[in-house]
Amino acid sequence: MPILPDSNLSKSNLPPLSLYIPEPPARPGEEVSFAHVDRGEPGAVRRPDSAETEKEMRDLPYKLIRVLDDDGNAVGPWNPMLGADTLIKGLRAMMLSRVFDDRLFRAHRQGKTSFYMKSTGEEAISAAQSLALDKGDMFFPTYRALAWLHARNYPLTTLCNQIFSNAEDPLAGKQLPILMSARDYDFYSISGNLGVRFAHAVGWGMASAYKGGRKISLGYVGDGTTADGDFHEAMTFAGVFKAPTILCITNNQWAISSFAGFAQAEQTPFAAKALAYGMPGLKVDGNDFLAVWGATQWAAERARTNNGPTLIEFYTYRAEGHSTSDDPTKYRPKDEASKWPLGDPVERLKDHLIGLGEWDEERHAALVEELKEKVRVAVKEAEKIGTLGQSKPPIDEMFEDVFEEMDWRLKEQKRELLHRRGLEGKKG
Amino acid sequence: MNMIQALNSALDVKMGQDEDVLVFGEDVGYFGGVFRVTEKLQEKHGLQRCFDAPLTEGGIIGAAIGMGAYGLRPVPEIQFADYILPAYDQLVSEAARLRYRSNGEFWAPITVRTPYGGGIFGGQTHSQSPEAIFAHVTGLKVVIPSNPYDAKGLLISSIECDDPVVFLEPKRLYNGPFYGRPDEELKTWANSDHVGADVPEGHYEVPLGRAAIVREGTEATVLAYGTMVHVAEAGILDSGVDAELIDLRSIVPLDIDAITASVRKTGRCIILHEASRYAGFGGELSALVQERCFDYLRAPIARVCGYDMPYPHAFEWDYFPGPVRLSEALKSAVEYR
């Protein structure tokens, strides 16, 4: 159909329409601007009773819940009042996650694995939630949440085996590096496609409620994925059936090269999306271990007492590239991460512990060394089994678990492959 | 029982036996489903066992997968197979692969029931036969009954199966067999003496992956499923060819042995389906038969299918591959050379 000239003369006194395309505040070479970030005041957001009705809590998503102030003091009603032992455990998990990320990112550059994704700057979120929730509560993670496993002491060598797809890979070489599954650690199988597992978290929570259980579920999406229809579907189900679920958006400001404005962050906080689905929404400083813990505890209490789901936006910053395949200096200022107004989660918890007199620089430095050594040993052990292409799981595994039992096609195809391998073996 | 009652009975039996079986979908609860398949299940088994869902196919299947991962056996319904596509990502990327990608740690024992197929003036979005787009997905099972007895037994087997099953119900056959002749007076299942019209009350299974030989014959093999099984019966009688008719019942897993044995015996193979032809499941069947029965074939394998277009409304009976088209194909096959 031809496009007709605009001949609507009666509207000629209006300026012509113009298409709005969001743009981030700064591009490479430009000065970093976080003028749009409202840090609020630590301790200033009220903490209602967790059984409060959604209607009474509509102010919450618009303010940032923070516990740690700039001097490292824990202030306000969301302080979970954790003991020093727990805080050190959390600090250790975050530090381990970071050390592990650095080491395995290098392993990728050395050709030992095909792919890696760091969680740098976001460690507080899944580390705190891993420790705050109970054994048996199920976590539906994204690919940027390995701190959950580190907080629960998942064996590092096994994790490396998965990343190297070697003979002892717990997923038998079937899955991309770090798209883990660890049922014994309440860590649901990750897949490459985004958003779809948000509804699985809701369904899992509904099942727990249906069975009269006591377990709750925890689901993640990133800021970019909130644009996906799956987000809406899961939120609708969660709201309608009051699923005992904590649904989280880790808003790290970036979806690969697209800033959060492309998921509609310019007009309204992600947390406020909760209101349309009839559940409370919390916006939480994601770099504040105590605030993450406090908010999670509150939402968990709400879920466990049949008061339904909560949406939590964890406000944070993706300090490194999206993955080993990404170069963030191509689309954002090089020094943006260092200027993030909510700082670094590890440094902030460390300062808090030092302020409490429970930690010091020497112990911190010693722990860094200890964790580096631990990771070094784990990587070495996994390397001994084999890195990418040097060692593989048994070939039979390739045909297993498509179905509970192999059908005739898979049996035939397996026979064919084994036959060919046998012939090749003879030639060699 | 008609097919609706047989399916209802299968759900009732499984819900009675296993409290992990629950049923949900659009309008399936209080109302009992737009086709009455879930009638009275809520009243009998309780609000939490059979309930209405928000109008979101992706949400329905997504939630079902999560429930399956917990340990339940959900039987979600998609109101029409035409509307299963919003859930395609959930079925393909998640349900079908969960077991594989987690190396057996998690799986999705869900059975997705959905009415499919044409012949009811359903137009473009109440008539489609999307079996091929599921057959191509590794990790999904695809089941299609053609009579009340099989419908109940296959549904029970599907619910008991730990793999995800897409269970396609030929809505044209819900109330009675249909031979592809719209002008003919229709029979209900009750007043037909058709095989499969008698349905036992309690628990029984029809195994997945096993075809049924509906009619034995020597001159050609007709492969069909769903509504087309009945169309094939009519077409075979019209043609005067002594054809063997195989109702595949499940297309994943496929009963390859039954197919191979029959074609090796008859030397001719005609494939019949409602779905459009190009890249339809008939293409796979044809390739399998050619690979396994090459030395036995006396005529080219023929496919009688819907045309390669969206399902048209006014031209229903021109589009629908009826007995006349099958009969012609059979005659051509026996006259070949």
Side-chain angles (χ1 to χ4, degrees), chain A residues 92 95-96 99 156 359 363-377:
Chain A
R92 186 182 186 281
M95 290 166 68
L96 176 57
V99 166
L156 295 178
W359 199 243
R363 284 170 75 182
H364 194 81
L367 182 56
V368 171
E369 288 315 310
E370 180 198 321
L371 295 174
K372 276 186 178 167
E373 179 59 13
K374 221 175 135 61
V375 171
R376 196 188 66 82
V377 168

Side-chain angles (χ1 to χ4, degrees), chain B:
Chain B
M1 289 186 205
N2 63 27
M3 192 182 283
I4 292 166
Q5 292 158 336
L7 292 163
N8 180 274
S9 172
L11 293 169
D12 184 37
V13 165
K14 283 315 298 174
M15 290 173 90
Q17 286 176 343
D18 183 353
E19 73 152 30
D20 290 341
V21 174
L22 75 169
V23 169
F24 62 100
E26 296 158 19
D27 306 300
V28 307
Y30 184 85
F31 179 59
V34 296
F35 290 107
R36 321 309 303 155
V37 173
T38 57
E39 188 158 38
K40 296 232 171 1
L41 293 178
Q42 186 180 82
E43 193 184 310
K44 185 166 172 190
H45 298 281
L47 200 57
Q48 295 187 335
R49 302 288 309 279
C50 176
F51 55 87
D52 294 327
L55 219 159
T56 158
E57 287 79 12
I60 290 169
I61 303 304
I65 296 167
M67 292 173 187
Y70 183 95
L72 303 186
R73 276 182 198 282
V75 191
E77 176 184 302
I78 301 296
Q79 203 158 75
F80 287 88
D82 310 72
Y83 305 135
I84 204 168
L85 296 178
Y88 197 54
D89 191 22
Q90 287 287 4
L91 286 165
V92 176
S93 311
E94 297 296 313
R97 289 193 211 151
L98 184 56
R99 184 191 291 276
Y100 191 74
R101 73 165 192 247
S102 70
N103 201 28
E105 283 196 333
F106 297 93
W107 60 94
I110 67 172
T111 302
V112 183
R113 286 186 40 249
T114 187
Y116 91 104
I120 56 148
F121 278 102
Q124 296 188 16
T125 53
H126 300 82
S127 306
Q128 292 172 72
S129 299
E131 66 275 11
I133 66 173
F134 296 110
H136 187 63
V137 179
T138 51
L140 288 183
K141 290 186 170 168
V142 184
V143 176
I144 311 174
S146 71
N147 61 60
Y149 179 90
D150 284 355
K152 179 172 172 179
L154 287 168
L155 182 54
I156 287 174
S157 295
S158 298
I159 294 169
E160 290 173 355
C161 172
D162 277 342
D163 296 314
V165 178
V166 175
F167 193 90
L168 295 162
E169 301 168 3
K171 57 187 168 299
R172 174 70 260 188
L173 302 182
Y174 269 161
N175 291 306
F178 177 69
Y179 299 96
R181 298 192 191 99
D183 301 329
E184 205 173 62
E185 199 188 332
L186 294 173
K187 280 186 176 165
T188 60
W189 285 108
N191 64 21
S192 87
D193 50 3
H194 199 283
V195 60
D198 278 339
V199 179
E201 287 292 336
H203 177 278
Y204 68 92
E205 293 160 38
V206 173
L208 307 185
R210 208 156 316 153
I213 296 176
V214 179
R215 181 190 190 283
E216 293 198 13
T218 56
E219 292 184 294
T221 298
V222 176
L223 303 178
Y225 45 88
T227 309
M228 288 297 121
V229 172
H230 306 270
V231 172
E233 287 179 70
I236 290 168
L237 285 179
D238 284 357
S239 70
V241 175
D242 181 26
E244 184 148 292
L245 171 57
I246 299 185
D247 176 359
L248 299 178
R249 298 202 288 200
S250 60
I251 64 171
V252 180
L254 184 70
D255 190 345
I256 192 67
D257 294 337
I259 295 168
T260 309
S262 176
V263 177
R264 285 181 180 182
K265 180 177 77 175
T266 63
R268 299 177 187 90
C269 180
I270 316 286
I271 296 152
L272 182 61
H273 64 58
E274 282 180 77
S276 46
R277 177 181 161 108
Y278 194 84
F281 189 66
E284 182 60 36
L285 287 171
S286 172
L288 287 168
V289 169
Q290 189 272 140
E291 287 161 3
R292 283 153 200 266
C293 307
F294 184 75
D295 290 336
Y296 301 82
L297 285 173
R298 289 192 268 170
I301 300 161
R303 288 180 286 162
V304 178
C305 310
Y307 296 117
D308 293 320
M309 60 186 63
Y311 205 110
H313 186 249
F315 306 107
E316 176 106 59
W317 303 116
D318 296 296
Y319 174 93
F320 188 90
V324 175
R325 282 174 58 197
L326 177 65
S327 167
E328 284 166 4
L330 278 167
K331 283 189 266 189
S332 303
V334 291
E335 285 160 12
Y336 183 77
R337 267 207 278 256

Side-chain angles (χ1 to χ4, degrees), chain A residues 197-308:
Chain A
R197 280 154 292 108
F198 218 39
H200 301 190
V202 175
W204 198 96
M206 288 173 70
S208 178
Y210 169 83
K211 293 290 276 184
R214 303 202 178 279
K215 297 167 189 169
I216 63 171
S217 59
L218 173 70
Y220 274 22
V221 287
D223 47 287
T225 304
T226 60
D228 205 312
D230 298 293
F231 175 80
H232 169 66
E233 293 165 357
M235 291 290 287
T236 301
F237 252 77
V240 167
F241 296 105
K242 296 191 191 296
T245 303
I246 309 172
L247 293 168
C248 304
I249 301 163
T250 55
N251 174 9
N252 65 17
Q253 316 299 321
W254 290 95
I256 308 186
S257 76
S258 305
F259 87 115
F262 280 99
Q264 218 239 8
E266 289 184 326
Q267 290 82 8
T268 185
F270 289 106
K273 290 180 190 283
L275 305 188
Y277 300 92
M279 65 180 85
L282 307 178
K283 182 171 174 173
V284 176
D285 179 350
N287 291 14
D288 178 341
F289 183 87
L290 294 176
V292 174
W293 189 301
T296 304
Q297 200 173 44
W298 183 88
E301 189 177 291
R302 203 173 152 78
R304 289 191 214 284
T305 49
N306 282 308
N307 283 297

